[in-house]
Amino acid sequence: ADEPWMFLRACIEYQSYSHNPKEFKSTLPILLDASSNGLQILSLLKRDAKGAEATNCCESGEPKDIYSRVADELVCILKNRPEPQAKQWLDFGITRSLVKQPVMTLPYGAKLYGFSKQIEGAAMAQAMKNDQLWGELELGKTVMWMAKRVAQAIARIVPDAASTMIWLQDIAKEVASNNKALQWVSPCGFPVSQGYYEMRAKTVKTTIAGSFRYVVLNESIPEEVNVRRQVQAIAPNFVHSLDAAVMHKVVNKCPFPL
């Protein structure tokens, strides 16, 4: 099981049910997840019909699986690439799991380097599952190349997500360049402030276990905004604030006590 403790809890629950199935009342929590919350929010913000449809934000006769759609698009991209590594990856197998983490983390600021590490981890797990030795596949040197193709596939399925993130980053850069931290109020009325400021190192002489030690402490400089961190953090923080606002409103609308 992917979640051993949750599996154990389900086994215990089933055992209780088997003793008295007619009168048994389950107390097992039911977990519900969205279809890549971050991409849902970015698609809705831009009114991106294609992205909204891919993330189940539009009416449809059947649920959509954005991870499988990105994987299918990636296969199409690789089939039209002349590089030898394209065939290597196709032979290895393009699966839903291979692209899931990059798709999930794109709205939260993941870049190509992060994609490459995620792809490598998923590929290693896939190789182990197929009784293959990752070191013998010679794919490790091509994960960055593959990360670029995955980013391309995501952009085709949810075309406006990246442009929305760039727009947010441009605003952050403009505000932070005037030495101001970004602030906004979420739809549920929650005030958000990005308190990312420049840091300075301060060396402190202290005694630890009877010996003199020099400890370096980092302290914030409140009057100097860190432009780079403001820009890097705006997309994930803004998306998280909207994600949390949705949850707040759902909880407040519940017709039963929580």
Side-chain angles (χ1 to χ4, degrees), residues 169-188:
Q169 290 165 355
D170 288 342
I171 291 177
K173 186 175 182 180
E174 185 69 25
V175 173
S177 295
N178 291 303
N179 203 36
K180 293 182 180 179
L182 269 78
Q183 298 179 344
W184 65 93
V185 178
S186 79
C188 65

Side-chain angles (χ1 to χ4, degrees), residues 49 51 61 79-80 83 88 90 115 123 126 142 224 236 239:
K79 285 182 177 179
N80 290 296
E83 298 93 332
Q88 288 177 326
L90 286 170
F115 285 178
Q126 183 173 321
T142 67
E224 294 184 28
V239 169

Side-chain angles (χ1 to χ4, degrees), residues 158-176:
V158 280
D160 283 339
S163 63
T164 304
M165 293 173 64
I166 292 172
W167 181 78
L168 288 168
Q169 290 165 355
D170 288 342
I171 291 177
K173 186 175 182 180
E174 185 69 25
V175 173

Side-chain angles (χ1 to χ4, degrees), residues 67-111:
Y67 309 117
S68 294
R69 293 186 66 171
V70 171
D72 292 341
E73 187 64 37
L74 180 59
V75 169
C76 293
I77 291 172
L78 294 179
K79 285 182 177 179
N80 290 296
R81 299 291 302 194
E83 298 93 332
Q85 51 264 49
K87 185 178 184 306
Q88 288 177 326
W89 279 102
L90 286 170
D91 291 342
F92 177 68
I94 304 303
T95 63
R96 180 181 184 273
S97 299
L98 201 65
V99 302
K100 184 175 181 180
Q101 279 194 300
V103 173
M104 289 176 60
T105 57
L106 171 69
Y108 303 109
K111 303 292 184 183

Side-chain angles (χ1 to χ4, degrees), residues 23-75:
E23 298 182 7
F24 176 77
K25 289 185 178 180
S26 176
T27 58
L28 198 66
I30 304 301
L31 303 181
L32 298 176
D33 198 6
S35 303
S36 188
N37 310 44
L39 288 177
Q40 283 182 327
I41 289 171
L42 291 175
S43 297
L44 293 173
L45 285 174
K46 198 73 177 286
R47 289 175 169 79
D48 173 15
K50 189 174 181 180
E53 188 264 343
T55 54
N56 294 303
C57 290
C58 297
E59 290 188 14
S60 175
E62 58 182 21
K64 301 295 188 296
D65 181 3
I66 187 171
Y67 309 117
S68 294
R69 293 186 66 171
V70 171
D72 292 341
E73 187 64 37
L74 180 59
V75 169

Side-chain angles (χ1 to χ4, degrees), residues 195-235:
Y196 302 118
Y197 298 95
E198 294 291 350
M199 307 290 289
R200 65 173 163 230
K202 185 177 182 181
T203 303
V204 177
K205 184 179 180 181
T206 185
T207 302
I208 300 178
S211 302
F212 284 110
R213 301 285 179 88
Y214 288 94
V215 180
V216 179
L217 303 176
N218 290 318
E219 60 180 5
S220 176
I221 308 174
E223 62 274 11
E224 294 184 28
V225 169
N226 187 313
V227 177
R228 181 181 60 82
R229 292 190 66 196
Q230 291 282 339
V231 172
Q232 287 179 338
I234 181 58

